[in-house]
Amino acid sequence: MSTLPACPQCQSEFTYEDGGMFVCPECAHEWSAQQASPAVEEAKVWRDAAGNVLQDGDTVTVIKDLKLKGGGGVVKMGTKVKNIRLVDGDHDIDCKIDGFGSMGLKTEFVKKV
């Protein structure tokens, strides 16, 4: 069992020590032994187009006409979206819009009400 830390960049467990540095053979990332303690990850903060912090359950307004993929129509500017759910992925918001159903939106196209 190795007591060396995993690579902070690619999480590889095959790190080795070279002088006062740790080296990852898989991604070639190097870091000092003093930085070896794992950093506390900050919680992700989602912000709308105006810079306001968004939370689950907020109500937002669409700030731009959005064409739906698949030719399903257009979500018009000013459409109110209630009870949003924030997620990680290719979009930031999961929601249901009246007349369109469930969909994913990006935070850059909404403004908090």
Side-chain angles (χ1 to χ4, degrees):
M1 279 280 186
S2 174
T3 59
L4 296 175
C7 175
Q9 191 144 4
C10 70
Q11 304 305 320
S12 172
E13 59 187 33
F14 302 112
T15 58
Y16 62 91
E17 193 170 3
D18 184 21
M21 302 287 285
F22 290 118
V23 180
C24 176
E26 292 184 6
C27 70
H29 180 67
E30 296 181 4
W31 68 101
S32 69
Q34 287 80 24
Q35 296 174 351
S37 60
V40 176
E41 290 187 24
E42 295 181 23
K44 182 170 180 178
V45 176
W46 287 270
R47 295 186 182 273
D48 68 359
N52 300 316
V53 176
L54 296 173
Q55 296 178 349
D56 285 340
D58 281 346
T59 299
V60 295
T61 303
V62 177
I63 62 168
K64 175 182 174 183
D65 287 351
L66 301 173
K67 292 182 184 177
L68 300 179
K69 291 185 177 178
V74 177
V75 176
K76 295 287 187 180
M77 178 175 67
T79 302
K80 224 178 224 187
V81 182
K82 298 178 183 177
N83 198 21
I84 63 170
R85 187 173 57 249
L86 300 169
V87 296
D88 283 327
D90 60 342
H91 61 276
D92 303 315
I93 299 172
D94 277 341
C95 61
K96 288 184 181 177
I97 298 179
D98 294 336
F100 294 100
S102 297
M103 67 177 50
L105 297 173
K106 293 191 176 195
T107 56
E108 61 198 55
F109 299 119
V110 298
K111 184 175 82 172
K112 190 173 181 178
V113 176

